Amino acid sequence: MEVIICPVAEQVGQVAAAKVAKIAAEVGPGVVLGVATGSSPLSTYEGLARLVAEGRLDLSQASAFALDEYVGLADGHPESYREVIRRTVTEPLGLDPSRVHVPDGSLHGLASAGERFEKAIAAAGGVDVQIVGIGANGHVGFNEPTSSLASRTRVKTLTERTRQDNARFFATPEEVPDHCVTQGLGTVMAARHVVLVAMGDAKADAIAQVVEGPVTAMCPGSVLQMHQFATVIIDEAAAHNLKLADYYKQAYESAPAWQKLDLA
Ligand code: F6R
């Protein structure tokens, strides 16, 4: 696992965008992105949008797959992840909306939503780089603690903690749905690269568990220790509980030229 500790939160998005852009350049125009919602990746999307605006990155032929979607929100609900992805990813990054996929959280489509989403990912050739955040309880996507480490896209029940954490996006806490359709941990692990971004001390415990704790379904993000190309990009606050923080900094600073990111 590669761990990059940024001195300030503002740099996390810039470094993550540079990492994703490097992978996209290696893959070519048809790169397949996996995209999370939530607060953490917003600065990464802003960084990518800047690279696109400057003509240094072209994602017009890229595809994207969202990590998850709430169940049962009305079509066009501003907090449905379909809408959030449109506002924060599809439009600013110049993606073709017909190649942006979000799991179907409608009640009538639920039974087959997971299988259809997995087939769509496979048809696109798999995800090249999956961007994820981390829940304070260690969830990735909406794979809550005790999710199968081999799970694929399916319906899950949100924990009360996650519903409370996400209540800030809704007018009242009661409006946060109880259920979601989420990529499984096995689905995330099948992406060729995973980039995890996190900022702030509320994530420090989860990051310590993900990076240095045991691999356990009690901290779903810890499964990333088994991924060949997982990069964790965090600020000092989120790194606060890491025992080997100095080692990660030393490894990043002394990386060979070909591994360096273009942060211009
Ligand atoms: C979002 C998602 C969640 C969030 C996590 C962190 O699509 O699946 O796992 O990444 O809850 O959320 P933020 O970034 O808002 O702290």
Side-chain angles (χ1 to χ4, degrees), residues 183-200:
Q183 287 191 32
L185 293 167
T187 318
V188 172
M189 290 293 285
R192 285 181 272 278
H193 296 79
V194 179
V195 173
L196 186 159
V197 285
M199 304 83 141

Side-chain angles (χ1 to χ4, degrees), residues 35-41 67-68 81 132-136 139-143 162 165-166 168-169 182 197 203:
V35 287
T37 56
S39 307
S40 309
L67 250 191
D68 37 24
Y81 285 172
V132 298
I134 185 87
H139 73 211
V140 164
F142 279 136
N143 295 282
T162 299
D165 284 350
N166 287 7
R168 68 190 191 277
F169 296 113
T182 180
V197 285
K203 301 295 173 74

